[in-house]
Every structure is written in structure tokens, then in C-alpha cells.
Amino acid sequence: MSLIVEIVDVAFIVYTWLIIGRIILSWVRHNPYNPVVRFIYDLTDPYLNIFRRVIPPLGMIDLSPIAAILVLQLARVLVLSLLVALV
């Protein structure tokens, strides 16, 4: 694999883990002013808000991160397939 393909793959993986971290943060008490927490929220909110507009919460359960991860993984496969075909 070329370096560009590896960098793009790692970017998708890191963003997926940021969303998973966001899910875990919703289960525990945390300081919303903590710089690390703020960083995770600032990076994941714009993407998750797209899905929150479409998928309403079921009571106290927010399914938008699950849909976001599924779409992100689909995009990962498509983008990496295109990059491999081009390289």
C-alpha cells in the first residue's frame, strides 16, 4: 500500500475511535471544560449532528453514533478502494 492510502486509512480509524470515545464519555461523568473532552466534542459534533437531525433519540438512547460509524466505515471502504485503484 502506498503512504497516502495508509494515511487516509489511519485518519478514518482515528475518527472512528474519537466517536467511540464520545460514546464512552456519554456514559460517565466528565468535566465538559476539560481540554481533551472539549477536543473530542469539537471534532465529533459536526459529523454526529448530521445524523441527529435524521435519527431521533429513542428515549435516552442516541443511535446517531452507531449510524455515523456505519457510514464512516462505508466511506472508508469506498475511499480506500478508489485510492488503491488510482495508485
Side-chain angles (χ1 to χ4, degrees):
M1 265 200 289
S2 74
L3 182 62
I4 294 171
V5 174
E6 289 183 35
I7 290 171
V8 171
D9 189 31
V10 168
F12 275 107
I13 292 169
V14 167
Y15 199 72
T16 301
W17 279 107
L18 285 171
I19 294 172
I20 292 169
R22 171 73 183 261
I23 293 168
I24 293 169
L25 283 173
S26 72
W27 297 341
V28 298
R29 286 183 65 177
H30 61 276
N31 179 3
Y33 300 107
N34 181 314
V36 174
V37 173
R38 213 47 270 145
F39 176 75
I40 292 172
Y41 272 64
D42 289 344
L43 281 180
T44 58
D45 264 345
Y47 182 62
L48 290 175
N49 285 338
I50 295 168
F51 296 93
R52 286 189 182 123
R53 281 186 235 127
V54 178
I55 304 170
L58 298 172
M60 293 184 65
I61 299 173
D62 184 13
L63 298 176
S64 61
I66 296 170
I69 289 173
L70 289 174
V71 171
L72 188 64
Q73 293 306 308
L74 176 64
R76 176 182 174 222
V77 169
L78 292 173
V79 169
L80 291 178
S81 297
L82 288 172
L83 285 175
V84 168
L86 292 174
V87 175

Coordinates of all heavy atoms in Angstrom, one line a residue:
M1 N 0.8 -1.2 0.0 CA 0.0 0.0 0.0 C 0.9 1.2 0.0 O 1.9 1.3 0.6 CB -0.9 0.0 1.3 CG -2.2 -0.6 1.0 SD -3.5 -0.1 2.2 CE -3.0 -0.9 3.7
S2 N 0.4 2.3 -0.6 CA 1.2 3.5 -0.7 C 1.0 4.3 0.6 O 0.1 4.0 1.4 CB 0.8 4.3 -1.9 OG -0.5 4.9 -1.6
L3 N 1.8 5.2 0.8 CA 1.8 6.1 2.0 C 0.5 6.8 2.1 O -0.1 7.0 3.2 CB 3.0 7.0 2.1 CG 3.1 7.9 3.3 CD1 3.3 7.1 4.5 CD2 4.2 8.9 3.1
I4 N 0.0 7.3 1.0 CA -1.3 8.1 1.0 C -2.4 7.2 1.5 O -3.3 7.7 2.3 CB -1.6 8.7 -0.4 CG1 -0.5 9.8 -0.7 CG2 -2.9 9.3 -0.4 CD1 -0.5 10.3 -2.1
V5 N -2.5 6.0 1.0 CA -3.6 5.1 1.4 C -3.5 4.8 2.8 O -4.5 4.8 3.5 CB -3.5 3.8 0.5 CG1 -4.5 2.8 1.0 CG2 -3.7 4.1 -1.0
E6 N -2.3 4.6 3.4 CA -2.2 4.3 4.8 C -2.6 5.5 5.6 O -3.2 5.3 6.7 CB -0.7 3.9 5.1 CG -0.4 2.5 4.5 CD 1.1 2.1 4.9 OE1 1.5 2.5 6.0 OE2 1.7 1.4 4.1
I7 N -2.2 6.7 5.2 CA -2.6 7.9 6.0 C -4.1 8.1 6.0 O -4.6 8.4 7.1 CB -1.9 9.1 5.4 CG1 -0.4 9.1 5.7 CG2 -2.4 10.4 6.0 CD1 0.5 10.1 5.0
V8 N -4.7 7.9 4.9 CA -6.2 8.0 4.8 C -6.8 7.0 5.7 O -7.8 7.2 6.4 CB -6.7 8.0 3.4 CG1 -8.2 7.9 3.3 CG2 -6.2 9.2 2.6
D9 N -6.3 5.7 5.6 CA -6.9 4.6 6.5 C -6.7 5.0 7.9 O -7.7 4.8 8.7 CB -6.2 3.3 6.1 CG -6.8 2.1 6.7 OD1 -8.0 2.1 6.9 OD2 -6.1 1.2 7.0
V10 N -5.6 5.4 8.4 CA -5.4 5.8 9.8 C -6.3 6.9 10.2 O -6.8 6.9 11.3 CB -3.9 6.1 10.0 CG1 -3.7 6.8 11.4 CG2 -3.0 4.9 9.9
A11 N -6.5 7.9 9.3 CA -7.4 9.0 9.6 C -8.8 8.5 9.9 O -9.5 9.0 10.8 CB -7.4 10.0 8.5
F12 N -9.3 7.6 9.0 CA -10.6 7.0 9.3 C -10.7 6.2 10.6 O -11.7 6.3 11.3 CB -11.0 6.1 8.1 CG -11.7 6.8 6.9 CD1 -11.0 6.9 5.8 CD2 -12.9 7.3 7.0 CE1 -11.5 7.6 4.7 CE2 -13.5 7.9 5.9 CZ -12.8 8.1 4.8
I13 N -9.7 5.5 10.9 CA -9.6 4.7 12.1 C -9.6 5.6 13.3 O -10.3 5.4 14.3 CB -8.4 3.8 12.1 CG1 -8.6 2.7 11.1 CG2 -8.2 3.1 13.5 CD1 -7.4 1.8 10.8
V14 N -8.8 6.7 13.3 CA -8.7 7.6 14.4 C -10.1 8.3 14.7 O -10.5 8.4 15.8 CB -7.6 8.7 14.2 CG1 -7.7 9.8 15.2 CG2 -6.2 8.0 14.3
Y15 N -10.7 8.7 13.6 CA -12.0 9.4 13.7 C -13.1 8.4 14.3 O -13.9 8.8 15.1 CB -12.5 10.0 12.4 CG -13.5 11.1 12.6 CD1 -13.2 12.3 13.1 CD2 -14.8 10.8 12.3 CE1 -14.1 13.3 13.3 CE2 -15.8 11.8 12.5 CZ -15.4 13.0 13.0 OH -16.4 14.0 13.2
T16 N -13.0 7.2 13.9 CA -13.9 6.2 14.4 C -13.7 6.0 15.9 O -14.7 6.0 16.7 CB -13.7 4.8 13.7 OG1 -14.0 5.0 12.3 CG2 -14.7 3.8 14.3
W17 N -12.4 6.0 16.4 CA -12.1 5.9 17.8 C -12.5 7.1 18.6 O -12.9 7.1 19.7 CB -10.7 5.5 18.0 CG -10.4 4.1 17.8 CD1 -9.8 3.5 16.8 CD2 -10.9 3.0 18.7 NE1 -9.8 2.1 17.0 CE2 -10.5 1.8 18.2 CE3 -11.5 3.0 19.9 CZ2 -10.7 0.6 18.8 CZ3 -11.8 1.8 20.6 CH2 -11.4 0.6 20.0
L18 N -12.5 8.3 17.9 CA -13.0 9.5 18.6 C -14.5 9.4 18.8 O -15.0 9.9 19.9 CB -12.6 10.8 17.7 CG -11.2 11.2 17.7 CD1 -10.9 12.3 16.7 CD2 -10.8 11.7 19.1
I19 N -15.2 8.9 17.9 CA -16.7 8.7 18.1 C -16.9 7.7 19.2 O -17.8 7.9 20.0 CB -17.3 8.3 16.7 CG1 -17.3 9.4 15.7 CG2 -18.8 7.9 17.0 CD1 -17.7 9.1 14.3
I20 N -16.2 6.6 19.2 CA -16.3 5.7 20.3 C -16.0 6.3 21.6 O -16.7 6.1 22.6 CB -15.5 4.4 20.0 CG1 -16.0 3.7 18.8 CG2 -15.4 3.5 21.2 CD1 -15.1 2.6 18.3
G21 N -15.0 7.1 21.7 CA -14.6 7.8 22.9 C -15.8 8.8 23.3 O -16.1 8.9 24.5
R22 N -16.4 9.4 22.3 CA -17.5 10.2 22.6 C -18.7 9.4 23.2 O -19.4 9.9 24.2 CB -18.0 10.9 21.3 CG -19.2 11.7 21.4 CD -19.1 13.0 22.1 NE -20.3 13.7 22.2 CZ -20.7 14.7 21.5 NH1 -19.8 15.1 20.5 NH2 -21.8 15.3 21.6
I23 N -18.9 8.2 22.7 CA -19.9 7.4 23.3 C -19.6 7.0 24.7 O -20.5 7.1 25.6 CB -20.1 6.1 22.4 CG1 -20.6 6.4 21.0 CG2 -21.0 5.1 23.1 CD1 -20.5 5.3 20.1
I24 N -18.4 6.7 25.0 CA -18.0 6.3 26.4 C -18.1 7.5 27.3 O -18.5 7.4 28.4 CB -16.5 5.7 26.4 CG1 -16.5 4.4 25.6 CG2 -16.0 5.6 27.8 CD1 -15.2 3.9 25.3
L25 N -17.8 8.7 26.8 CA -17.9 9.9 27.6 C -19.4 10.2 28.0 O -19.6 10.7 29.1 CB -17.4 11.1 26.9 CG -15.9 11.3 26.9 CD1 -15.4 12.4 26.0 CD2 -15.3 11.5 28.3
S26 N -20.3 9.7 27.2 CA -21.7 10.0 27.5 C -22.2 9.0 28.6 O -23.2 9.3 29.2 CB -22.6 9.8 26.3 OG -22.7 8.4 25.9
W27 N -21.4 8.0 28.9 CA -21.8 7.1 30.0 C -21.2 7.4 31.3 O -21.7 6.9 32.3 CB -21.3 5.7 29.6 CG -21.9 5.1 28.4 CD1 -23.0 5.4 27.7 CD2 -21.4 4.0 27.7 NE1 -23.2 4.7 26.6 CE2 -22.2 3.7 26.6 CE3 -20.2 3.2 27.8 CZ2 -22.0 2.8 25.6 CZ3 -20.0 2.2 26.9 CH2 -20.9 2.0 25.8
V28 N -20.2 8.3 31.4 CA -19.6 8.6 32.6 C -19.7 10.1 32.9 O -19.8 10.9 32.0 CB -18.1 8.2 32.7 CG1 -18.0 6.7 32.5 CG2 -17.3 8.9 31.6
R29 N -19.5 10.5 34.2 CA -19.5 11.9 34.5 C -18.1 12.4 34.1 O -17.1 11.8 34.3 CB -19.6 12.1 36.0 CG -21.1 11.9 36.4 CD -21.2 12.2 37.9 NE -21.0 13.6 38.1 CZ -21.1 14.2 39.3 NH1 -21.4 13.5 40.4 NH2 -20.8 15.4 39.5
H30 N -18.1 13.6 33.4 CA -16.9 14.2 33.0 C -17.0 15.7 33.1 O -18.1 16.3 33.1 CB -16.5 13.7 31.6 CG -17.5 14.1 30.5 ND1 -18.6 13.4 30.3 CD2 -17.6 15.2 29.7 CE1 -19.4 14.0 29.4 NE2 -18.8 15.1 29.0
N31 N -15.9 16.4 33.1 CA -15.8 17.8 33.1 C -15.9 18.3 31.6 O -15.0 18.1 30.9 CB -14.5 18.3 33.7 CG -14.4 19.8 33.8 OD1 -15.3 20.5 33.3 ND2 -13.2 20.3 34.3
P32 N -17.0 19.0 31.2 CA -17.1 19.4 29.8 C -16.1 20.5 29.5 O -15.9 20.7 28.3 CB -18.5 19.9 29.7 CG -18.9 20.2 31.1 CD -18.1 19.3 32.0
Y33 N -15.4 21.0 30.4 CA -14.4 22.1 30.2 C -13.0 21.5 30.1 O -12.1 22.3 29.8 CB -14.5 23.2 31.2 CG -15.9 23.8 31.2 CD1 -16.7 23.6 32.3 CD2 -16.3 24.6 30.2 CE1 -18.0 24.1 32.3 CE2 -17.6 25.2 30.2 CZ -18.4 24.9 31.3 OH -19.7 25.5 31.3
N34 N -12.9 20.2 30.3 CA -11.6 19.6 30.1 C -11.1 19.7 28.7 O -11.9 19.4 27.8 CB -11.7 18.1 30.5 CG -10.4 17.4 30.4 OD1 -9.6 17.5 29.5 ND2 -10.1 16.6 31.5
P35 N -9.9 20.1 28.4 CA -9.4 20.3 27.0 C -9.5 19.1 26.2 O -9.9 19.2 25.0 CB -8.0 20.8 27.2 CG -7.8 21.2 28.6 CD -8.8 20.5 29.4
V36 N -9.3 17.9 26.7 CA -9.4 16.7 25.9 C -10.8 16.4 25.6 O -11.2 16.1 24.4 CB -8.7 15.5 26.7 CG1 -9.0 14.2 25.9 CG2 -7.3 15.7 26.9
V37 N -11.7 16.5 26.5 CA -13.1 16.3 26.3 C -13.7 17.3 25.3 O -14.4 17.0 24.4 CB -13.9 16.4 27.6 CG1 -15.4 16.3 27.4 CG2 -13.5 15.3 28.6
R38 N -13.3 18.6 25.5 CA -13.7 19.6 24.5 C -13.2 19.3 23.1 O -13.9 19.5 22.1 CB -13.0 20.9 25.0 CG -13.7 22.2 24.8 CD -15.1 22.4 25.2 NE -16.0 22.2 24.1 CZ -17.2 21.7 24.2 NH1 -17.7 21.3 25.3 NH2 -18.0 21.5 23.1
F39 N -12.0 18.8 23.0 CA -11.4 18.5 21.7 C -12.2 17.4 21.0 O -12.6 17.5 19.8 CB -9.9 18.0 21.9 CG -9.3 17.5 20.7 CD1 -8.8 18.4 19.7 CD2 -9.1 16.1 20.5 CE1 -8.2 17.9 18.5 CE2 -8.4 15.7 19.3 CZ -8.0 16.6 18.4
I40 N -12.6 16.3 21.8 CA -13.4 15.2 21.2 C -14.7 15.7 20.8 O -15.2 15.4 19.7 CB -13.5 14.1 22.2 CG1 -12.1 13.4 22.5 CG2 -14.5 13.1 21.8 CD1 -12.1 12.4 23.6
Y41 N -15.4 16.6 21.6 CA -16.7 17.1 21.3 C -16.6 18.0 20.1 O -17.5 17.9 19.2 CB -17.3 17.9 22.5 CG -18.1 17.0 23.4 CD1 -17.4 16.0 24.1 CD2 -19.4 17.2 23.6 CE1 -18.2 15.2 25.0 CE2 -20.1 16.4 24.5 CZ -19.5 15.4 25.2 OH -20.2 14.6 26.1
D42 N -15.6 18.8 20.0 CA -15.5 19.8 18.9 C -15.2 19.0 17.5 O -15.7 19.5 16.5 CB -14.4 20.8 19.1 CG -14.7 21.8 20.2 OD1 -15.9 21.9 20.5 OD2 -13.8 22.4 20.7
L43 N -14.5 17.9 17.6 CA -14.3 17.2 16.4 C -15.4 16.3 15.9 O -15.7 16.1 14.7 CB -13.0 16.3 16.5 CG -11.7 17.0 16.4 CD1 -10.6 16.0 16.6 CD2 -11.5 17.6 15.1
T44 N -16.2 15.8 16.9 CA -17.3 14.8 16.5 C -18.6 15.4 16.4 O -19.5 14.9 15.7 CB -17.3 13.7 17.6 OG1 -17.6 14.2 18.9 CG2 -16.1 12.9 17.6
D45 N -18.9 16.6 17.0 CA -20.2 17.2 17.0 C -20.7 17.5 15.6 O -21.8 17.2 15.2 CB -20.3 18.5 17.8 CG -20.8 18.2 19.2 OD1 -21.4 17.2 19.4 OD2 -20.6 19.1 20.1
P46 N -19.9 18.1 14.7 CA -20.5 18.4 13.4 C -20.9 17.2 12.6 O -22.0 17.2 12.0 CB -19.3 19.1 12.7 CG -18.4 19.7 13.7 CD -18.6 18.7 14.9
Y47 N -20.1 16.1 12.7 CA -20.5 14.9 12.0 C -21.7 14.2 12.6 O -22.6 13.8 11.9 CB -19.3 14.0 11.9 CG -19.5 12.7 11.2 CD1 -19.8 12.7 9.8 CD2 -19.4 11.5 11.8 CE1 -20.0 11.5 9.1 CE2 -19.6 10.3 11.1 CZ -19.9 10.3 9.8 OH -20.1 9.1 9.1
L48 N -21.7 14.1 13.9 CA -22.8 13.5 14.6 C -24.1 14.3 14.5 O -25.2 13.7 14.4 CB -22.5 13.3 16.1 CG -21.4 12.2 16.4 CD1 -21.1 12.2 17.8 CD2 -21.9 10.8 15.9
N49 N -24.1 15.6 14.4 CA -25.3 16.4 14.3 C -26.0 16.1 13.0 O -27.2 16.3 12.9 CB -24.9 17.9 14.4 CG -24.6 18.3 15.8 OD1 -25.0 17.6 16.7 ND2 -23.9 19.4 16.0
I50 N -25.3 15.7 11.9 CA -26.0 15.3 10.7 C -26.9 14.2 10.9 O -28.0 14.2 10.5 CB -24.9 14.9 9.6 CG1 -24.0 16.1 9.3 CG2 -25.6 14.3 8.4 CD1 -22.8 15.8 8.4
F51 N -26.5 13.2 11.7 CA -27.3 12.0 11.9 C -28.3 12.3 13.0 O -29.4 11.7 13.0 CB -26.4 10.8 12.4 CG -25.5 10.4 11.3 CD1 -24.2 10.9 11.2 CD2 -25.9 9.5 10.3 CE1 -23.3 10.6 10.1 CE2 -25.0 9.2 9.3 CZ -23.8 9.7 9.2
R52 N -28.1 13.2 13.9 CA -29.1 13.5 14.9 C -30.3 14.2 14.3 O -31.4 14.1 14.9 CB -28.4 14.4 16.0 CG -27.5 13.6 16.9 CD -27.1 14.4 18.1 NE -26.2 13.7 18.9 CZ -24.9 14.0 19.2 NH1 -24.4 15.2 18.8 NH2 -24.2 13.2 19.9
R53 N -30.1 14.9 13.2 CA -31.2 15.6 12.6 C -32.1 14.5 11.9 O -33.3 14.8 11.7 CB -30.7 16.6 11.5 CG -30.3 17.9 12.1 CD -29.9 18.9 11.0 NE -28.6 19.3 11.3 CZ -27.6 19.3 10.4 NH1 -27.7 18.9 9.2 NH2 -26.4 19.7 10.8
V54 N -31.6 13.4 11.5 CA -32.3 12.4 10.8 C -32.9 11.3 11.7 O -34.0 10.8 11.5 CB -31.4 11.7 9.7 CG1 -32.1 10.6 9.0 CG2 -30.9 12.8 8.7
I55 N -32.1 10.9 12.7 CA -32.4 9.8 13.6 C -32.8 10.4 15.0 O -31.9 10.8 15.7 CB -31.3 8.8 13.8 CG1 -30.8 8.3 12.4 CG2 -31.7 7.7 14.7 CD1 -29.5 7.5 12.4
P56 N -34.1 10.3 15.3 CA -34.5 10.9 16.6 C -34.0 9.9 17.7 O -33.9 8.7 17.5 CB -36.0 10.9 16.5 CG -36.4 9.9 15.5 CD -35.2 9.9 14.6
P57 N -33.7 10.4 18.9 CA -33.3 9.5 20.0 C -34.5 8.7 20.5 O -35.7 9.1 20.4 CB -32.9 10.5 21.1 CG -33.5 11.8 20.8 CD -33.7 11.8 19.3
L58 N -34.2 7.5 20.9 CA -35.2 6.6 21.4 C -35.2 6.7 23.0 O -34.4 6.0 23.6 CB -35.0 5.1 21.0 CG -35.0 4.8 19.5 CD1 -34.6 3.4 19.2 CD2 -36.4 5.1 19.0
G59 N -36.0 7.5 23.5 CA -35.9 7.8 24.9 C -34.6 8.5 25.3 O -34.3 9.5 24.8
M60 N -33.8 7.8 26.1 CA -32.5 8.3 26.5 C -31.4 7.7 25.6 O -30.2 8.0 25.9 CB -32.2 8.1 27.9 CG -33.2 8.9 28.8 SD -32.8 8.7 30.6 CE -31.2 9.5 30.7
I61 N -31.7 6.9 24.6 CA -30.7 6.3 23.8 C -30.5 7.0 22.5 O -31.5 7.2 21.7 CB -31.1 4.8 23.5 CG1 -31.2 4.0 24.9 CG2 -30.1 4.1 22.6 CD1 -31.8 2.6 24.7
D62 N -29.3 7.4 22.2 CA -29.0 8.1 21.0 C -28.3 7.1 20.0 O -27.2 6.6 20.3 CB -28.0 9.3 21.3 CG -27.7 10.1 20.1 OD1 -28.4 10.0 19.0 OD2 -26.8 10.9 20.2
L63 N -29.0 6.8 18.9 CA -28.5 5.9 18.0 C -27.6 6.5 16.9 O -27.1 5.8 16.0 CB -29.6 5.1 17.3 CG -30.5 4.2 18.3 CD1 -31.6 3.6 17.5 CD2 -29.6 3.2 18.9
S64 N -27.6 7.8 16.9 CA -26.8 8.5 15.8 C -25.3 8.1 15.8 O -24.8 8.0 14.6 CB -27.0 10.0 15.9 OG -26.5 10.5 17.2
P65 N -24.6 7.9 16.9 CA -23.2 7.5 16.7 C -23.1 6.1 16.0 O -22.1 5.9 15.3 CB -22.7 7.4 18.2 CG -23.6 8.3 18.9 CD -24.9 8.2 18.3
I66 N -24.0 5.2 16.2 CA -24.0 3.9 15.5 C -24.1 4.1 14.0 O -23.3 3.6 13.2 CB -25.0 2.9 16.1 CG1 -24.8 2.6 17.5 CG2 -25.1 1.7 15.2 CD1 -25.9 1.9 18.2
A67 N -25.1 4.9 13.6 CA -25.3 5.2 12.2 C -24.0 5.9 11.6 O -23.6 5.6 10.5 CB -26.5 6.0 12.0
A68 N -23.5 6.8 12.4 CA -22.3 7.6 12.0 C -21.1 6.7 11.8 O -20.4 6.9 10.8 CB -22.0 8.7 13.0
I69 N -20.9 5.8 12.6 CA -19.8 4.8 12.5 C -20.0 3.9 11.3 O -19.1 3.7 10.5 CB -19.6 4.0 13.8 CG1 -19.0 4.9 14.9 CG2 -18.6 2.8 13.5 CD1 -18.9 4.2 16.2
L70 N -21.2 3.5 11.1 CA -21.5 2.6 9.9 C -21.2 3.4 8.6 O -20.6 2.8 7.7 CB -22.9 2.1 10.0 CG -23.2 1.1 11.0 CD1 -24.7 0.7 11.1 CD2 -22.5 -0.2 10.8
V71 N -21.7 4.6 8.5 CA -21.5 5.4 7.3 C -20.0 5.7 7.1 O -19.5 5.7 6.0 CB -22.4 6.7 7.3 CG1 -22.0 7.6 6.2 CG2 -23.8 6.3 7.3
L72 N -19.3 6.0 8.2 CA -17.9 6.3 8.2 C -17.1 5.1 7.7 O -16.2 5.2 6.8 CB -17.4 6.7 9.6 CG -16.0 7.2 9.7 CD1 -15.8 8.5 8.9 CD2 -15.6 7.4 11.1
Q73 N -17.5 3.9 8.1 CA -16.8 2.7 7.6 C -17.1 2.4 6.2 O -16.2 1.9 5.4 CB -17.2 1.5 8.5 CG -16.7 1.6 9.9 CD -15.2 1.8 10.0 OE1 -14.4 1.1 9.4 NE2 -14.8 2.8 10.7
L74 N -18.3 2.7 5.8 CA -18.7 2.5 4.3 C -17.9 3.5 3.5 O -17.3 3.1 2.5 CB -20.2 2.8 4.1 CG -20.7 2.7 2.7 CD1 -20.4 1.3 2.1 CD2 -22.1 3.1 2.6
A75 N -17.8 4.8 4.0 CA -17.0 5.8 3.3 C -15.5 5.3 3.2 O -14.8 5.5 2.2 CB -17.1 7.1 3.9
R76 N -15.0 4.8 4.3 CA -13.6 4.3 4.4 C -13.4 3.2 3.3 O -12.4 3.3 2.6 CB -13.3 3.7 5.7 CG -12.0 3.1 5.9 CD -11.8 2.5 7.3 NE -10.6 1.8 7.4 CZ -10.4 0.7 8.0 NH1 -11.4 0.1 8.6 NH2 -9.2 0.1 8.0
V77 N -14.2 2.3 3.2 CA -14.1 1.2 2.2 C -14.1 1.8 0.8 O -13.2 1.5 -0.1 CB -15.2 0.1 2.3 CG1 -15.2 -0.8 1.1 CG2 -15.0 -0.6 3.6
L78 N -15.0 2.7 0.5 CA -15.1 3.3 -0.8 C -13.9 4.2 -1.2 O -13.3 4.1 -2.3 CB -16.4 4.2 -0.9 CG -17.7 3.4 -0.9 CD1 -18.9 4.3 -0.8 CD2 -17.8 2.5 -2.1
V79 N -13.5 5.0 -0.2 CA -12.4 5.9 -0.5 C -11.1 5.1 -0.7 O -10.3 5.4 -1.6 CB -12.2 6.9 0.7 CG1 -10.9 7.7 0.6 CG2 -13.4 7.9 0.6
L80 N -10.9 4.1 0.2 CA -9.7 3.3 0.1 C -9.7 2.5 -1.2 O -8.6 2.3 -1.9 CB -9.5 2.4 1.3 CG -9.2 3.1 2.6 CD1 -9.1 2.1 3.7 CD2 -7.9 3.9 2.5
S81 N -10.8 2.0 -1.6 CA -10.9 1.3 -2.9 C -10.5 2.2 -4.1 O -9.8 1.8 -5.0 CB -12.3 0.7 -3.1 OG -12.6 -0.2 -2.1
L82 N -11.1 3.4 -4.0 CA -10.7 4.4 -5.1 C -9.2 4.7 -5.1 O -8.6 4.8 -6.1 CB -11.6 5.6 -4.9 CG -13.0 5.5 -5.3 CD1 -13.8 6.8 -4.9 CD2 -13.2 5.2 -6.8
L83 N -8.7 4.9 -3.9 CA -7.3 5.3 -3.8 C -6.4 4.1 -4.3 O -5.4 4.4 -5.0 CB -6.9 5.7 -2.4 CG -7.3 7.1 -1.9 CD1 -7.0 7.2 -0.5 CD2 -6.7 8.1 -2.8
V84 N -6.7 2.9 -3.9 CA -5.9 1.8 -4.4 C -6.0 1.6 -5.9 O -5.0 1.3 -6.5 CB -6.4 0.5 -3.6 CG1 -5.8 -0.7 -4.3 CG2 -6.0 0.6 -2.2
A85 N -7.2 1.9 -6.4 CA -7.4 1.8 -7.9 C -6.5 2.8 -8.6 O -6.0 2.6 -9.7 CB -8.8 1.9 -8.3
L86 N -6.4 4.0 -8.0 CA -5.7 5.1 -8.6 C -4.2 5.0 -8.5 O -3.4 5.4 -9.3 CB -6.1 6.4 -8.1 CG -7.5 6.9 -8.4 CD1 -7.9 8.1 -7.7 CD2 -7.7 7.1 -9.9
V87 N -3.8 4.3 -7.4 CA -2.3 4.2 -7.1 C -1.7 3.0 -7.7 O -2.1 2.1 -8.1 CB -2.1 4.3 -5.6 CG1 -0.6 4.0 -5.3 CG2 -2.5 5.6 -5.0

